[in-house]
Amino acid sequence: MNVCSEVHKPAFKIIYKGAKGSEYNPEWFVCENCHEKRYFGTPNDIISIESVN
């Protein structure tokens, strides 16, 4: 599983759209700060988001 940083506390499990033509959809555990900064794509790239707390 991918995480935004080893020292951050994950707040969300986010599944993003994969590359065009691929069936792989990357899954990330992301903290609130990194998610707000949109390091991992735009809202249009998100397939699903779940709270981890």
Side-chain angles (χ1 to χ4, degrees):
M1 188 64 60
N2 300 307
V3 294
C4 60
S5 175
E6 296 291 326
V7 295
H8 296 175
K9 182 179 177 189
F12 304 103
K13 177 184 174 187
I14 305 175
I15 300 176
Y16 292 95
K17 293 179 186 175
K20 188 173 183 177
S22 172
E23 293 185 23
Y24 172 70
N25 294 315
E27 296 182 10
W28 284 82
F29 281 115
V30 180
C31 73
E32 289 182 17
N33 290 333
C34 290
H35 175 61
E36 289 175 2
K37 294 177 182 174
R38 302 285 180 226
Y39 289 141
F40 299 93
T42 67
N44 292 336
D45 297 327
I46 296 173
I47 294 174
S48 70
I49 184 168
E50 299 175 23
S51 181
V52 177
N53 300 339

